[in-house]
Amino acid sequence: MTLPDAERFARLRLARTDQVGPVTFQQLLERFGSAERALEGLSDLIRRGGAHGYAVPPVERVDAEMAAGERAGARLIVLGDADYPDMLAAVDPPPPLLWTLGDASLMARPCIAVVGARIASAGGQRIARGLSQQLGEAGHVVVSGLARGIDASAHTGALPTGTVAVLGGGVDDIYPPDNADLYAQIVEQGCVISESPMGARAQAKDFPRRNRIISGLSRGVIVVEAELRSGSLITARLAGEQGRDVFAVPGSPLDPRSRGPNELLRQGAILCEGPEDVERAFSTLRTLREPAPDNPFEGAPDEIEAAVIERVAALLSPTPTPRDELARALGLPIGTVAAALLELHLMGRAELLPGGLAAARSP
């Protein structure tokens, strides 16, 4: 499928709208059928005073981001483009867009993530580099986060065969700066990607989103070294939630950097001492991608009556509830309930969650 330029522009604009995250983005697309119509619907709600805190960016700001991407030689891939990665599209919900520098086709090949501690031991860096080289030679594209330590070693080992670096800031934000040479090599031989705007500087809040993309692109995630409270274990948790395999390289109980992988092993992660452990796990018949669900807004009226919205709101509580359960309780079509939940969310009265869940938003 090839999206018209106007729709691709609208999807970027919708994704940059204040408070529109991946869940709201996907539901707005499903509700209105296109980003162009979703922007119109959202603007109508804002004018009526039914949407609070939402600010659609002016066209000029989105034009400026597109121009910045063009100057940097970056390419924009939006959800719905033919070359949006299949593995990432299967995540619930997928990121609305990706800026890419380098060979974006690498994301379509079998990918595996290798992550770990920033302050890594020499032995851990050697394991990450050698394992990534062997995985690349076996046909895998190694994905990591361009951080110091294990990430940098993984990228280095996989450079000759293909590696993808996922950044927290924009694709033109070289972070950390001491990885500038490695960044340049990845742009030349691999691919750098980010969902952040061009020119954005990485902040702490960006790294969980980055980690979600690392695991979402990959068939599995290998943790080499990590402390118990670390971004690498967040990536491993996200991988498990996304139906990916989680691997851990065991280490000495005397090294705090081994506590993360060893704890993952206690929780059922797959022992990884070499690429053969990965190949053995991947040879097990397993389906990661499920058939795309039907549009939950199918059959919903163009406008939802205020009384219906209030009936739905009355059933919400802080405990997330599936929308089909709400529909059964109210005796309403699921499309009507889904549309009412979306309006409640835009009013600031409900929280939309992955998997068709909704909860009352805390005051």
Side-chain angles (χ1 to χ4, degrees):
M1 175 178 68
T2 301
L3 292 173
D5 289 343
E7 175 62 15
R8 298 183 79 254
F9 186 90
R11 292 192 181 202
L12 174 57
R13 192 178 180 206
L14 183 62
R16 297 298 183 232
T17 297
D18 289 348
Q19 297 194 47
V20 172
V23 174
T24 309
F25 180 91
Q26 185 175 44
Q27 296 217 2
L28 284 167
L29 280 189
E30 291 173 338
R31 173 74 173 102
F32 293 99
S34 72
E36 292 179 280
R37 290 186 59 197
L39 286 169
E40 293 172 6
L42 185 55
S43 297
D44 287 343
L45 273 174
I46 293 171
R47 280 194 296 270
R48 296 201 307 266
H52 304 290
Y54 291 86
V56 178
V59 168
E60 294 76 16
R61 189 188 306 168
V62 182
D63 275 330
E65 182 173 348
M66 294 287 285
E70 187 174 347
R71 287 193 301 272
R75 180 177 167 216
L76 177 66
I77 300 175
V78 300
L79 183 65
D81 277 339
D83 47 3
Y84 189 96
D86 287 344
M87 291 292 288
L88 203 54
V91 171
D92 183 20
L97 60 88
L98 298 169
W99 277 106
T100 71
L101 272 173
D103 184 3
S105 69
L106 288 172
M107 293 185 289
R109 288 171 46 191
C111 293
I112 185 163
V114 179
V115 298
R118 287 174 170 80
I119 304 175
S121 69
Q125 293 181 59
R126 185 177 67 251
I127 290 170
R129 189 166 50 250
L131 183 59
S132 297
Q133 178 182 342
Q134 293 172 306
L135 288 167
E137 291 168 351
H140 300 281
V141 171
V142 172
V143 181
S144 199
L146 197 65
R148 299 180 181 92
I150 297 300
D151 288 21
S153 298
H155 288 306
T156 301
L159 264 175
T161 53
T163 186
V164 173
V166 187
L167 306 188
V171 290
D172 52 349
D173 176 39
I174 304 174
Y175 183 83
D178 46 328
N179 276 348
D181 288 343
L182 178 58
Y183 169 93
Q185 292 179 75
I186 296 174
V187 171
E188 180 66 28
Q189 299 175 245
C191 187
V192 175
I193 71 170
S194 173
E195 63 175 330
S196 294
M198 298 296 303
R201 296 293 174 245
Q203 301 178 44
K205 65 180 178 61
D206 298 318
F207 291 105
R209 294 188 297 113
R210 177 204 67 169
N211 294 345
R212 187 169 177 269
I213 294 175
I214 291 174
S215 58
L217 280 172
S218 307
R219 172 71 190 272
V221 171
I222 303 172
V223 179
V224 179
E225 287 184 338
E227 297 202 20
L228 287 175
R229 296 177 63 85
S230 67
S232 299
L233 291 201
I234 293 174
T235 306
R237 175 178 58 78
L238 291 168
E241 292 173 357
Q242 293 165 347
R244 276 52 171 165
D245 286 316
V246 177
F247 301 86
V249 176
S252 167
L254 300 177
D255 189 342
R257 290 167 292 203
S258 297
R259 290 176 183 165
N262 290 350
E263 177 60 26
L264 289 175
L265 290 169
R266 276 192 286 270
Q267 295 174 6
I270 302 167
L271 177 73
C272 182
E273 295 180 312
E276 61 280 355
D277 294 313
V278 175
E279 298 297 345
R280 188 181 306 114
F282 286 176
S283 66
T284 303
L285 184 61
R286 185 175 181 185
T287 301
L288 288 177
R289 302 186 194 92
E290 298 178 359
D294 294 334
N295 186 340
F297 296 92
E298 189 172 352
D302 291 338
E303 292 189 20
I304 307 298
E305 296 178 5
V308 171
I309 292 175
E310 292 307 320
R311 288 178 63 198
V312 174
L315 289 186
L316 294 178
S317 73
T319 302
T321 307
R323 58 186 165 222
D324 56 350
E325 186 175 312
L326 294 170
R328 279 195 297 270
L330 293 164
L332 292 172
I334 192 167
T336 300
V337 171
L341 286 170
L342 179 57
E343 292 213 18
L344 285 166
H345 174 70
L346 297 174
M347 293 175 191
R349 297 173 59 189
E351 189 72 36
L352 298 181
L353 303 167
L357 299 173
R361 179 170 281 167
S362 300

